[in-house]
Amino acid sequence: MKLIMAVIKPSKLDDVRSSLSPLGVTGMTVSEVKGFGRQGGHTEIYRGAEYAINFVPKIKIEVAVADDVAENVVLAIQESANTGKIGDGKIFVFDISEAIRIRTGETDTDAL
Amino acid sequence: MKLIMAVIKPSKLDDVRSSLSPLGVTGMTVSEVKGFGRQGGHTEIYRGAEYAINFVPKIKIEVAVADDVAENVVLAIQESANTGKIGDGKIFVFDISEAIRIRTGETDTDAL
Amino acid sequence: MKLIMAVIKPSKLDDVRSSLSPLGVTGMTVSEVKGFGRQGGHTEIYRGAEYAINFVPKIKIEVAVADDVAENVVLAIQESANTGKIGDGKIFVFDISEAIRIRTGETDTDAL
Amino acid sequence: MKKVSARCLEFVSIAAAVISVPSAALAQETTKFSGGDTAWIMTATALVLFMTLPGLALFYGGLVRSRNFLSVLMHCLVICCATSVVWLAVGYTLAFSDGGTVNQFIGGFDKSFLFGVGLDTLNGTIPEIVFFMFQMTFAIITPALIVGAYPERITFLGMLLFSVFWLLLVYVPVTHWIWGGGWLADMGIMDFAGGLVVHLTAGISALVIAVMVGSRRGFPREVNPPHSPGMVMIGASMLWVGWFGFNGGSALGANSGAGMAIVVTHISAAVASLTWMVIEWVKHGKPSLIGFVTGTIAGLATITPASGFVGPMGGIILGVAGGLICYCMVNVIKHRFQIDDSLDVFAVHGISGLTGTILVTFLALPTFGGLGLAKGITASHQFWVQFAGAAVTAAWAIIASVLIIWVVRLITPMRVSEEDETEGLDITSHGERGYNL
Amino acid sequence: MKKVSARCLEFVSIAAAVISVPSAALAQETTKFSGGDTAWIMTATALVLFMTLPGLALFYGGLVRSRNFLSVLMHCLVICCATSVVWLAVGYTLAFSDGGTVNQFIGGFDKSFLFGVGLDTLNGTIPEIVFFMFQMTFAIITPALIVGAYPERITFLGMLLFSVFWLLLVYVPVTHWIWGGGWLADMGIMDFAGGLVVHLTAGISALVIAVMVGSRRGFPREVNPPHSPGMVMIGASMLWVGWFGFNGGSALGANSGAGMAIVVTHISAAVASLTWMVIEWVKHGKPSLIGFVTGTIAGLATITPASGFVGPMGGIILGVAGGLICYCMVNVIKHRFQIDDSLDVFAVHGISGLTGTILVTFLALPTFGGLGLAKGITASHQFWVQFAGAAVTAAWAIIASVLIIWVVRLITPMRVSEEDETEGLDITSHGERGYNL
Amino acid sequence: MKKVSARCLEFVSIAAAVISVPSAALAQETTKFSGGDTAWIMTATALVLFMTLPGLALFYGGLVRSRNFLSVLMHCLVICCATSVVWLAVGYTLAFSDGGTVNQFIGGFDKSFLFGVGLDTLNGTIPEIVFFMFQMTFAIITPALIVGAYPERITFLGMLLFSVFWLLLVYVPVTHWIWGGGWLADMGIMDFAGGLVVHLTAGISALVIAVMVGSRRGFPREVNPPHSPGMVMIGASMLWVGWFGFNGGSALGANSGAGMAIVVTHISAAVASLTWMVIEWVKHGKPSLIGFVTGTIAGLATITPASGFVGPMGGIILGVAGGLICYCMVNVIKHRFQIDDSLDVFAVHGISGLTGTILVTFLALPTFGGLGLAKGITASHQFWVQFAGAAVTAAWAIIASVLIIWVVRLITPMRVSEEDETEGLDITSHGERGYNL
Ligand SMILES: Nc1ncnc2c1ncn2[C@@H]1O[C@H](COP(=O)(O)OP(=O)(O)O)[C@@H](O)[C@H]1O
Ligand SMILES: Nc1ncnc2c1ncn2[C@@H]1O[C@H](COP(=O)(O)OP(=O)(O)O)[C@@H](O)[C@H]1O
Ligand SMILES: Nc1ncnc2c1ncn2[C@@H]1O[C@H](COP(=O)(O)OP(=O)(O)O)[C@@H](O)[C@H]1O
């Protein structure tokens, strides 16, 4: 199994989610993160002074999938999260050595 | 070493934490996440209109442990986080290739 | 490629970030987490009653880097996040099996 | 002077005509300065400003997504400031001074910048300067009510221009017609604290601008829930308390008329809240906080035109009517007609103002514990006046709003880009983020 | 009329009896309408409503966990609305009208729905309608105080029924006894603004319901800290400012008696806050915000029964006493007796009301800068009256609360399921979440 | 009595001297008790307390980082409580009673703890006890303004000691000089509601303490943005509404003078906000919320000394001047001089107070629609008086503040450790965290 971790723009979460359903992905875990990267933040002005805000709000998605669908999931994310603008984010893939569904104790791909 | 990542119901955090102490787990890192899965969210009503809230608040736990205790930790989490109801969550296990304690520079299992 | 995940004290984020620039690290992803560990929280008093707060606010950093710079990055983090006091945190290193830049579709170290 | 304080005088005359023993409050001559009345109207002025800042701003701000929260606050703030200046310059004088030959439709320019209004000029028993200030707070909150129609997508400049033009073209003339001695005042229309002047004008124009600016992206299926229901409740509470000044202050004195206005206002708010709660409880199994306080506002707005004319029974009936009708209308507008009047300004304020304006005809009758209609006026005649007033006001608000939006669009786009809308107006229009926790 | 405004008249007679030169304020005849007095009491009415909405709601809401925040706001809102309707229907008349043969214990039904209360009916120098409304705000906040006893676990319906029955069975009769011309008024009890009527009744019943509904899961070891101390501070500030209307308004006029009530109220609040701060600083090394504002509320509640009778010295002494005693009682109730009166209603309000009620006997004496007791009354006699009043009030509150809870339980469970409690009442009872940032 | 209410009497005499027909409000004799005036000043008292708690606390609290939020609330709270007690004990009497031979500089001890101030003692038309309480709210907010200079790094004890000493050494004497019958009052200085007494003293001392305590770590490059701009707006709104009591109450009666003060206050606030908005819009492309409300406060503070002397035109001009000058000064202090007066107390309050104090000389002239200077006084003479008053007040504030900080440092360090500063004062000084969502 693979864990696919993607850092995307917050506005793209819904698109990504819908792009994964057809692939049989039934679950994922999402968190709010701050991204530092080329995109480089923005400037906020308080009382005439400019403050450089270096981070950009991003969404981190973690999806565990069976090895055989991993490639498709990565592609689907890459397409659906793409705006072509800087800051679109990254996808990283990791090996999962074990997976368990807490409710049933099922393991491996049954657990997903 | 293994990193055990578990997504659980928020109300189960305390139970999980206590179940790990006897196993010699001295630390863990916890974050608030949103889960999408079979559990499927709920409906909120605003001014007579129903809004489908697709995500469910979850807690993500990350515990790094030595290889030999990993299995016990997974079991302990699975038991203590179990309510038998849908949405209890998942446990994923990853290999850690290196660990360092920042304060002392200790590495490997000494770092945990 | 390696994913370096570090749990550090919130006040050290800026130091860590500056220590990585010279190493050519152009991006990272940061989240707010709660840490349980030896540091052991603190006590808050409400109306004369003491509440033990077990967790400590921490910052989790995730940086994906090419294999050859990984060691330097780990060292840089360890030095810059170090205060010598308990609770300085941990660094964990994982293998990344694949990396993609969403915007361009570049893969591997080009994606970082 | 008769014309300027039509609202008050009318009330006095009606009350005096109907109740044989004039109340203690009304017995005092109306042409002498009263410290107590002045104290109360200055207090009411503070209360009504408090309704907008921060009351309404929080009520609306809590209902939008967090990324547009600050922009809603900015809308309320800038409307407050801009309308204040315009009111001082030309608004007040056009609404409340004598318009000479065109006085049926609009006032004159005599009191521009308060020229000629000395410290010793009275309006009834209070200094005219205090009356001016009290009325200014009404001129502030009315365009601010419309903020609920277009949040999360309007341009800041477009919103600002619309609000200023709207004040001049809709609020000022209607105020003159009804409270400033114009043709509706002459017809004897009953609008104690602004069912038509405030709530119907704002509600109707809200509908127009919502249609013309268009819906938010994703409406109606994928709209996010309010980012802070607690803040909505805080705002609603401030509106509630402030409304004591709004309706109670419209008696223009510290007297039993003001007291009764406060009582019926409070009762209507309470009953409408409970009504909305019961409907939700029955229909959805759970009463929600947002629903509850929406009922509160519906009750407050419904009683507004009637608050100086009805008794406690009238308050209860208007509360039930307001809660019930507004609940239905929210669904009709949002789901049947799919108009993204985002925070339901028309369904809550417009409909409430209309409901109260019509029902006051009957609830003012002694049968319902009301203070009665003016001497010699039948209910059917009054009904006709109320109806005609509402219809003309609504028609005027529609026409003028459409015109204003056309003009504003010549100057500046009224809608932000899709990208800005997605990212949120806080960052894109104001360069700030709502929460840096 | 004498009976209806016992509080005010008593104060007048005491003051007049003791101070040889009647104050400017008191010199004016009390049977003539006063615009100044009316202005002030309408203002005070708005201030006291503001104490509940949003003051108390935020004070309590900030102290619970975020998942139960909205439910606390809902409790305060629905209590406000329901008690308002009940007060109009039967509450006011039973508390403040003449009960004929049973007048020692309860009033009659003459003024139900304000029938027979015209615009020209006065109570002292203000329209009775204004007096009615001012009193309504007291009838709202008193049951709302009890919200602090049972949050995070009570059912919404159970809470609502309890509150309504409690208003009728506890608040209304005790109000009649003390302010409405009942037996305690006849005995000459001193309770200026509600030490017994408001704070002791609420505090005692809070203890009863906390015991009968049971503790929150995990109490006392694993209870979470307040989710928003800043919000607690906002609520406390609003309560503080509103209390000027609560105590100052209880003089029922804009006079020096009201002014002195405000001064001593403020001083007691300040001193009690500092007292609590010093205790925490010494005992725990750090003064906390939550502790500080708890001291504020203790000081405000302690001065309440005494605020029209004591001078600045009395304010200081009551502040120290209130801060000190309440600090100790919080620990006694929560940790010794392990009663989950979650937000310390008894330890803060109940104990404060009691402390002030007893101490006023002495602090009203001219020795302490007070305005003196009624003519011919000795301190020991007054002490006995105060003590008896407190004891009977407390006993009645206990008995009635137990009965009410029994009855409510026949209708509906009063406690949510364990699962709902864990998930939080916001979602499970109201279908909303407090923060969608 | 003449000396105690210098502010009011002066206004009356100026107005009476200039306007030939005395206004209705002023016509009434000033030595008789007035219920209306008393009602208004009690209301104004509540409004001004509301400005500090929670208004100013939220305004400042929203501007700091979330980890220091509660500590700012604590500063405001403890200053309120401590100064109240000190004001009762010695502050009021030293400021407003007759100082005998040294009366030019300081009052006496006659009214310590309000001894000798009976319920029947009047100040003008209101009970002295009410005047005392109204003034107390000014004595609370002035040292609380300085909180903006030193947040995120000061020790709690150091802050508390500084504030108490500052009240006694700076606020009390300057108040006596200007409003208590001291030498500046004798010279005929015009300071209606506290341009010098409140804003200049606080602003100057803020600069001194900011320099002496030192900058926050990372200033000026790495300072974080305000943690909650929405909260800043809530606080600003409360300040705005409360300012009606601040300036309107300073007329010490419910009359047209109070009404005009409210009008010009409101106009100045609106115009200054718009001024700041336009500058930001032009310079940075976006108008920010924080900038907008900073303009509001600048406008409110600028009009303060002038609010009883100018007309609407004066309000507009002062609004533009206040917004413009303060905008520039924020940058000068923070970026040119690199002084970490963290929340811009000097640049906003100090400069505003000064601007208004100087400009009132001209704007009070009938040419600008003002009420005119006192009879026989030329503008150039008045300008000299205003200038001298400002200079001496500023000099005194500097000297006294330096001395106080030296003394406080002998008792306790004024700055927390680097570690505590990094971790935040909420946890390290008070053991609490601002948000537990
Ligand atoms: N080396 C990295 N390790 C982890 N996360 C990264 C890394 N580089 C970028 N990111 C994440 O990806 C986001 C987008 O990266 P950025 O360089 O801004 O644009 P792009 O992906 O278009 O090149 C960043 O905000 C950050 O969260
Ligand atoms: N494939 C997945 N990858 C990552 N996280 C998942 C995945 N499937 C489920 N989860 C997480 O586990 C939680 C519980 O899953 P769900 O399907 O609702 O119930 P259950 O675990 O009982 O089958 C989800 O809310 C989500 O956070
Ligand atoms: N076994 C672990 N797995 C995951 N995270 C851990 C583990 N142990 C500690 N941590 C994280 O590291 C932080 C610091 O650890 P702690 O034991 O307090 O101090 P130190 O790192 O100085 O030994 C903790 O707050 C927690 O977030």
Side-chain angles (χ1 to χ4, degrees), chain D residues 11-346:
Chain D
F11 170 68
V12 170
S13 63
I14 288 169
V18 177
I19 312 169
S20 49
V21 183
S23 85
L26 301 171
Q28 56 188 37
E29 250 186 278
T30 52
T31 51
K32 236 185 82 216
F33 170 80
S34 157
D37 291 353
T38 304
W40 170 238
I41 301 307
M42 292 196 298
T43 305
T45 301
L47 284 170
V48 184
L49 180 62
F50 191 57
M51 287 173 72
T52 309
L53 299 180
L56 187 71
L58 295 180
F59 184 75
Y60 280 168
L63 285 169
V64 299
R65 274 168 297 178
S66 60
R67 69 185 79 151
N68 297 304
F69 166 43
L70 301 184
S71 76
V72 168
L73 303 186
M74 273 300 265
H75 295 173
C76 294
L77 276 172
V78 79
I79 286 176
C80 171
C81 294
T83 55
S84 296
V85 175
V86 174
W87 186 251
L88 175 67
V90 291
Y92 175 71
T93 187
L94 286 175
F96 285 105
S97 78
D98 195 312
T101 50
V102 292
N103 191 43
Q104 289 292 317
F105 305 107
I106 195 73
F109 283 100
D110 289 359
K111 297 183 175 175
S112 175
F113 288 99
L114 285 174
F115 282 133
V117 178
L119 287 183
D120 48 354
T121 316
L122 291 186
N123 178 330
T125 60
I126 63 173
E128 185 173 349
I129 193 95
V130 172
F131 176 77
F132 161 84
M133 187 69 207
F134 180 62
Q135 286 299 334
M136 183 191 278
T137 57
F138 281 62
I140 289 167
I141 201 171
T142 310
L145 288 176
I146 308 178
V147 166
Y150 50 63
E152 313 202 289
R153 59 195 186 282
I154 204 163
T155 59
F156 188 62
L157 182 58
M159 180 278 314
L160 176 52
L161 292 177
F162 172 82
S163 301
V164 167
F165 290 155
W166 188 87
L167 184 81
L168 287 173
L169 261 89
V170 181
Y171 184 77
V172 161
V174 173
T175 303
H176 185 76
W177 301 346
I178 295 178
W179 293 340
W183 65 279
L184 280 170
D186 276 359
M187 283 177 68
I189 199 159
M190 293 165 80
D191 184 4
F192 191 70
L196 299 182
V197 175
V198 173
H199 295 284
L200 190 67
T201 57
I204 291 279
S205 298
L207 209 56
V208 173
I209 195 168
V211 170
M212 290 182 71
V213 167
S215 303
R216 289 168 292 175
R217 289 192 56 183
F219 176 87
R221 266 166 322 102
E222 282 175 29
V223 166
N224 288 48
H227 93 278
S228 179
M231 189 176 286
V232 178
M233 183 273 180
I234 301 177
S237 298
M238 290 173 170
L239 286 165
W240 190 334
V241 172
W243 227 292
F244 285 11
F246 198 91
N247 288 357
S250 290
L252 295 181
N255 48 45
S256 57
M260 183 58 97
I262 291 177
V263 169
V264 297
T265 299
H266 182 84
I267 289 295
S268 176
V271 170
S273 307
L274 295 172
T275 303
W276 199 294
M277 176 188 83
V278 169
I279 301 176
E280 280 197 350
W281 210 338
V282 171
K283 277 194 59 174
H284 307 284
K286 287 174 189 173
S288 76
L289 176 61
I290 300 266
F292 199 98
V293 298
T294 307
T296 308
I297 303 305
L300 290 166
T302 307
I303 193 76
T304 294
S307 52
F309 306 115
V310 302
M313 235 9 130
I316 295 175
I317 296 171
L318 284 167
V320 174
L324 206 66
I325 299 175
C326 293
Y327 179 89
C328 299
M329 285 309 289
V330 165
N331 281 304
V332 168
I333 299 297
K334 275 259 180 73
H335 302 110
R336 180 91 44 94
F337 294 118
Q338 305 240 337
I339 297 175
D340 189 13
D341 173 9
S342 309
L343 314 180
D344 306 306
V345 184
F346 176 73

Side-chain angles (χ1 to χ4, degrees), chain A residues 3 25-29 62-65 101-103 112, chain B residues 7 34-40 56 58 85-90 92:
Chain A
L3 184 90
V25 173
T26 54
M28 62 186 191
T29 300
E62 288 166 304
V63 209
V65 294
R101 163 173 290 143
I102 291 174
R103 172 164 47 104
L112 302 183
Chain B
V7 180
K34 301 174 182 178
F36 295 82
R38 291 186 181 73
Q39 196 188 340
V56 188
K58 297 279 172 198
K85 301 227 187 80
I86 203 164
D88 273 354
K90 319 277 182 196
F92 303 120

